[in-house]
Amino acid sequence: NVPVVLLPLGFCHGDVAILSRLSEASPHHFKLARVKTIREMLAILSHAEAFAGVSMHGNICAFSYGVPHLFGALNVDKIGGAMVSMGIDEKHRIGDWSELLQGLEGLMQVDRLDLAKKQTIASQRAYLASDRLIKALIA
């Protein structure tokens, strides 16, 4: 009984068309967010109870805002690398869309304070890496 907002993040990937069809097929379950700007996307994402999707940027933003998130069924190596960088485990990833409901239920058990700590650690590592890079470039 939770409203599901379909949020197109990659206009170049046909997200709007695909999500429109999904919303039209089940209008009582899904609401398509017809966002026009990145700021609108971030406003929705930052206030979500959870995020699930194949978008690497969507998952990174959800993580940054402390929103429990689920990497969707997309078998690419960069997802594993991102998960290691974020310090999150496999409960944040599904291998098949049939696992979506179970994955979302698992996210509702995620400790948001623990997720915030992991975000802080990842943010500090990113800052340290960029600081070292800048120092190496100007040395």
Side-chain angles (χ1 to χ4, degrees), residues 29-136:
H29 294 98
F30 301 114
K31 173 70 176 155
L32 177 63
R34 297 200 177 269
V35 295
K36 293 184 174 37
T37 67
I38 291 173
R39 189 170 283 173
E40 291 173 347
M41 290 176 197
L42 293 176
I44 291 170
L45 186 55
S46 67
H47 289 84
E49 282 295 314
F51 173 82
V54 295
S55 168
M56 177 67 73
H57 292 104
N59 277 283
I60 291 169
C61 286
F63 177 72
S64 296
Y65 285 118
V67 174
H69 56 98
L70 193 63
F71 284 93
L74 185 64
N75 188 20
V76 294
D77 292 338
K78 67 182 179 179
I79 292 175
M83 291 175 70
V84 168
S85 294
M86 294 175 186
I88 57 175
D89 57 37
E90 285 298 314
K91 70 179 158 198
H92 288 268
R93 185 176 189 178
I94 58 173
D96 185 89
W97 287 109
S98 65
E99 301 168 5
L100 179 60
L101 184 57
Q102 181 180 356
L104 288 171
E105 288 172 352
L107 284 186
M108 296 301 105
Q109 307 306 314
V110 168
D111 181 344
R112 286 182 177 250
L113 289 178
D114 184 52
L115 189 59
K117 288 176 190 173
K118 290 176 181 183
Q119 188 277 333
T120 299
I121 291 167
S123 182
Q124 290 169 341
R125 281 196 314 254
Y127 177 80
L128 182 60
S130 63
D131 190 51
R132 287 179 180 164
L133 179 61
I134 290 169
K135 286 178 180 173

